[in-house]
Amino acid sequence: MSAPLRVGAVIITMGNRPDELKALLDSVARQDGDPVETVVVGQGVEVTGLPEGVRTVHLPENLGIPGGRNVGIEAFGPGGRDVDVLLFLDDDGLLERTDTAELCRQAFTEDPELGIISFRIADPDTGATQRRHVPRLRASDPMRSSRVTTFLGGANAVRTKVFEQVGALPAEFFYAHEETDLAWRALDAGWLIDYRADMVLLHPTTAPSRHAVYHRMVARNRVWLARRNLPAPLVPVYLGVWLALTLVRRPSAAALKAWFGGFKEGLTTPCGPRRPMRWRTVWRLTRLGRPPVI
């Protein structure tokens, strides 16, 4: 029998949730099977007082979510190659079960084409999963596992061979849609993505849309996502659909102003390298239930 897959964990923090971070680290340490090697990346803060064996990386400034996670990946060697699988966990989350790492090992071992697993996020008090945390269009039943076309950034597991093949997260995004950028590149390279309802990260219910910067980043990165990854004929279709959806949702005047500012920024600023997906990947996404125009 082959050796069990080596699992590591990357957690980024700004140092403002020490109690939640400690609880998360305890839940990682309690995982069944071989120990999960953990790296905590301090975004503009030096993190101290962590359990023995947890490695830390201090960044002099906040590099954003994808930038910080990329640093965490490299802490496991180039592209994370010192381990086979990396867990990415929000610092205010908590692994509900002790067999999550073992379930990941089993899933990746049984399916060599599986590249990414998206966990289910549940509120620790109510057990409810927000609709936005189910990474598919048909999101009414969060307890149904399925193949999907994207994943949740703060509650997932990635086979490190994916990074080796398609590259890291887009650091220039800073926040929002970096997961979909990686997911589209992974799917274009032939990898599969699963949403697993039985792999749970407990996380308090939040509403990031309360911040104006959220609307700006979401809009800018939506444009960058399309410019970087979609075949040219689909770029205006994708952006037109999201413009229409945004207007239908009737955001506040301040939110809409921030959104249009971000949309303009996405059109006029560099977005990184353009590598449009193949048309067969467009068809693959469509068959999976989410054509890349929505």
Side-chain angles (χ1 to χ4, degrees):
M1 295 179 62
S2 59
L5 298 180
R6 301 162 297 171
V7 178
V10 173
I11 301 165
I12 59 174
T13 185
M14 296 179 66
N16 55 346
R17 299 165 176 159
D19 294 338
E20 292 89 342
L21 176 60
K22 182 180 183 303
L24 171 62
L25 292 171
D26 288 345
S27 74
V28 174
R30 288 195 299 268
Q31 291 300 298
D32 301 334
D34 291 343
V36 177
E37 184 181 351
T38 304
V39 168
V40 175
V41 179
Q43 297 262 51
V45 63
E46 192 163 353
V47 184
T48 59
L50 300 184
E52 185 178 354
V54 175
R55 290 191 288 145
T56 61
V57 179
H58 167 61
L59 300 179
E61 61 180 319
N62 184 355
L63 298 183
I65 293 174
R69 287 183 176 143
N70 286 342
V71 170
I73 294 168
E74 294 301 305
F76 290 91
R81 67 185 181 191
D82 292 347
V83 292
D84 303 298
V85 174
L86 279 174
L87 310 180
F88 295 88
L89 307 170
D90 277 351
D91 67 341
D92 55 345
L94 184 75
L95 290 175
E96 181 183 47
R97 298 167 48 157
T98 62
D99 63 348
T100 301
E102 283 288 84
L103 289 173
C104 287
R105 291 186 181 100
Q106 180 182 357
F108 285 118
T109 299
E110 292 178 351
D111 188 350
E113 295 183 349
L114 180 62
I116 302 171
I117 299 173
S118 188
F119 300 169
R120 180 168 63 89
I121 292 180
D123 184 271
D125 296 322
T126 67
T129 296
Q130 292 180 275
R131 188 180 182 90
R132 69 186 182 92
H133 284 153
V134 183
R136 58 176 179 247
L137 291 179
R138 297 178 180 177
S140 60
D141 182 8
M143 301 306 293
R144 178 173 66 88
S145 300
S146 69
R147 284 270 149 89
V148 290
T149 61
T150 187
F151 64 100
L152 306 175
N156 68 80
V158 181
R159 193 190 296 267
T160 53
K161 286 183 179 178
V162 173
F163 298 123
E164 178 184 343
Q165 186 171 1
V166 307
L169 293 156
E172 56 267 50
F173 279 38
F174 197 84
Y175 166 79
H177 302 318
E178 68 273 2
E179 307 94 344
T180 300
D181 186 271
L182 178 65
W184 282 1
R185 286 183 281 132
L187 288 164
D188 195 48
W191 295 101
L192 298 172
I193 305 172
D194 278 354
Y195 166 71
R196 288 283 297 265
D198 58 334
M199 301 183 189
V200 181
L201 184 82
L202 299 177
H203 188 281
T205 298
T206 58
S209 57
R210 67 187 184 276
H211 302 299
V213 68
Y214 165 86
H215 297 282
R216 181 178 72 85
M217 301 292 258
V218 162
R220 183 197 68 180
N221 292 357
R222 184 78 71 182
V223 179
W224 280 359
L225 180 69
R227 289 175 57 195
R228 286 164 59 98
N229 295 287
L230 291 181
L234 293 186
V235 173
V237 179
Y238 180 85
L239 297 180
V241 167
W242 278 104
L243 173 60
L245 287 173
T246 299
L247 295 176
V248 165
R249 291 168 178 167
R250 301 179 67 181
S252 67
L256 197 59
K257 180 180 178 181
W259 193 93
F260 274 110
F263 193 88
K264 179 181 178 181
E265 186 180 349
L267 291 172
T268 58
T269 57
C271 63
R274 172 168 165 76
R275 299 186 182 95
M277 67 178 66
R278 294 166 292 183
W279 283 103
R280 69 180 183 183
T281 303
V282 173
W283 174 237
R284 187 182 190 196
L285 289 163
T286 303
R287 288 171 54 205
L288 286 169
R290 189 153 196 164
V293 293
I294 187 170

